[in-house]
Each structure stands twice: as C-alpha cells, then as structure tokens.
C-alpha cells in the first residue's frame, strides 16, 4: 500500500510540475514581415524603456542584423523597404 501511495504522489507531483512548466513559460511569436518589409525590435534595460541595450532587425530589406542584449523589455515596428533595393 505504501508503494502505491508513493507512486500516486510522485505521479501527481510530476503532472503538476509539467503543467507549471508549460503554463509558466509562454513563447512570444515573432511578427512575420511582408515582401517589402523589415521588423525591428529594440530592447531596453528596464520597464521604463529609456536606455536601449540591443536591437534585432530581420526581414526582406537587407541582411538580418543584431547587436547588444535581448531583454524582456522591448518594442517593435515594421519598416517598408526603399524601392531601389534589389
């Protein structure tokens, strides 16, 4: 009986831990750029968003570009490509 109770408690703890891990770590989907757009993420040091610490640019205008740190505090925007780029 002790073995059954121990296994039941262990199974419950593993279920709760697995559910917590899935719920506690939501993923943010990156926006998808259109044919003539790039997406720019600007990362900041804290929630006040006054000190820029990094940037990530990707899309269809130029090569992808990244510098600095990625943090949880960010803004993003779309930029249309100039028409004279190949």
């Amino acid at each position: 009986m002790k073995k059954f109770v121990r296994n039941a408690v262990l199974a419950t703890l593993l279920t709760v831990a697995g559910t917590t891990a899935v719920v506690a770590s939501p993923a943010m989907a990156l926006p998808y750029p259109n044919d003539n757009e790039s997406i720019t993420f600007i990362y900041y040091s804290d929630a006040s968003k006054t000190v820029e610490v990094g940037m990530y640019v990707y899309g269809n205008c130029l090569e992808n570009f990244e510098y600095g740190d990625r943090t949880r505090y960010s803004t993003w925007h779309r930029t249309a490509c100039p028409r004279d780029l190949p």
Side-chain angles (χ1 to χ4, degrees):
M1 183 66 171
K2 285 183 182 181
K3 190 174 184 180
F4 174 76
V5 171
R6 185 188 71 200
N7 288 343
V9 169
L10 182 59
T12 302
L13 289 175
L14 288 174
T15 301
V16 169
T19 304
T20 303
V22 170
V23 172
S25 60
M28 184 181 118
L30 293 176
Y32 190 78
N34 293 326
D35 288 340
N36 68 333
E37 287 183 335
S38 284
I39 306 293
T40 302
F41 275 86
I42 299 175
Y43 296 96
Y44 301 93
S45 61
D46 57 28
S48 68
K49 296 183 179 176
T50 55
V51 179
E52 184 179 318
V53 295
M55 180 184 287
Y56 177 49
V57 181
Y58 65 96
N60 300 311
C61 292
L62 298 171
E63 296 292 321
N64 294 351
F65 174 75
E66 181 174 9
Y67 78 86
D69 296 323
R70 290 188 187 189
T71 66
R72 65 188 298 172
Y73 310 105
S74 65
T75 58
W76 68 273
H77 65 273
R78 295 178 185 272
T79 305
C81 304
R83 293 288 178 198
D84 60 348
L85 292 177

